Amino acid sequence: MRSYKKILLLVILTMTLSACGNAAKRKVVIVGSEPLQSAQDNPSNTEEKNAEPSRGDTADQPEELAALSYDATPLEPDVNDDPKQLLGIDTKALEALLGKPSLVRKENPAVIWQYNAESCVLDLVLYDSVTSYVEARDEQVRPMDNRKCLRRLLLSKQ
C-alpha cells in the first residue's frame, strides 16, 4: 500500500512539473516592449534561433503576442469650473467669462442673471453689479452641483 502512495505522488509530481515545463517553453513577446533586431545586427541571436529546433517541440509552437492597449477617448478641454471664481466679479468680467445671460431679472436691490446649459440652469445673484451668490438647478428645478452646471456652461461656450 505504501508503494502505491509513492507511485501516485510521483505521477502527480511528474504531471505538475511537465505542465510547468510546457508553459516555460512558450515565448511571450509584448508588442512594442523591445526593438526588433535583424539577424545581421546580432549574430549570437541567429545562433540561438538555429539551435532552437533541436530542442524538440518548441519550434512547433507559435510565438504569442501580448498587445498593449490604451484608452483613446478624447479628453474634455480643461476648464476652470470652480464656481467661487464667479463671486465678487463685476458684470463686465462676468460677460467676458460666460457671455450674455439668457435672462436678466430685477428684484430690487438684486439683479439675477440666468444662464442655460445642457440640462441645467445657473442663476447668479448680483448686488451693486457684483456677483454675490451662485445657484444651479436641473430641468426639474431641483438643486444640483454648481460646479457641474458651470462646467457644462463653459464647455458649451467653447
Side-chain angles (χ1 to χ4, degrees):
M1 188 68 155
R2 202 169 217 202
S3 64
Y4 174 72
K5 288 182 181 179
K6 285 183 181 180
I7 292 172
L8 182 62
L9 182 63
L10 186 60
V11 168
I12 291 172
L13 184 63
T14 305
M15 289 174 56
T16 305
L17 291 175
S18 71
C20 291
N22 286 340
K25 290 177 184 177
R26 286 184 283 159
K27 294 181 185 178
V28 176
V29 178
I30 298 176
V31 177
S33 65
E34 296 180 22
L36 296 175
Q37 294 181 348
S38 67
Q40 297 160 350
D41 295 344
N42 192 352
S44 65
N45 193 15
T46 306
E47 293 169 8
E48 289 174 9
K49 286 186 179 179
N50 291 339
E52 278 184 21
S54 65
R55 289 189 201 165
D57 64 340
T58 57
D60 299 340
Q61 294 179 353
E63 269 188 10
E64 293 181 18
L65 299 178
L68 300 176
S69 64
Y70 61 94
D71 186 13
T73 57
L75 299 175
E76 284 186 342
D78 191 28
V79 294
N80 181 2
D81 58 2
D82 185 4
K84 292 179 182 176
Q85 70 175 316
L86 303 174
L87 298 175
I89 63 174
D90 64 1
T91 56
K92 287 187 182 192
L94 199 55
E95 274 193 50
L97 184 63
L98 301 176
K100 292 206 179 272
S102 305
L103 176 72
V104 176
R105 189 173 76 228
K106 294 181 182 181
E107 293 185 14
N108 283 334
V111 176
I112 293 117
W113 283 21
Q114 189 176 89
Y115 289 90
N116 293 326
E118 181 185 332
S119 306
C120 73
V121 175
L122 188 69
D123 287 323
L124 304 171
V125 181
L126 295 95
Y127 290 99
D128 298 323
S129 299
V130 175
T131 311
S132 300
Y133 183 73
V134 179
E135 183 177 79
R137 60 184 187 275
D138 65 10
E139 299 150 326
Q140 285 80 34
V141 194
R142 293 179 298 205
M144 72 175 290
D145 184 42
N146 292 343
R147 183 178 291 266
K148 285 183 183 177
C149 188
L150 178 59
R151 180 170 191 77
R152 290 177 188 170
L153 181 64
L154 291 171
L155 289 174
S156 72
K157 300 291 180 190
Q158 291 184 348

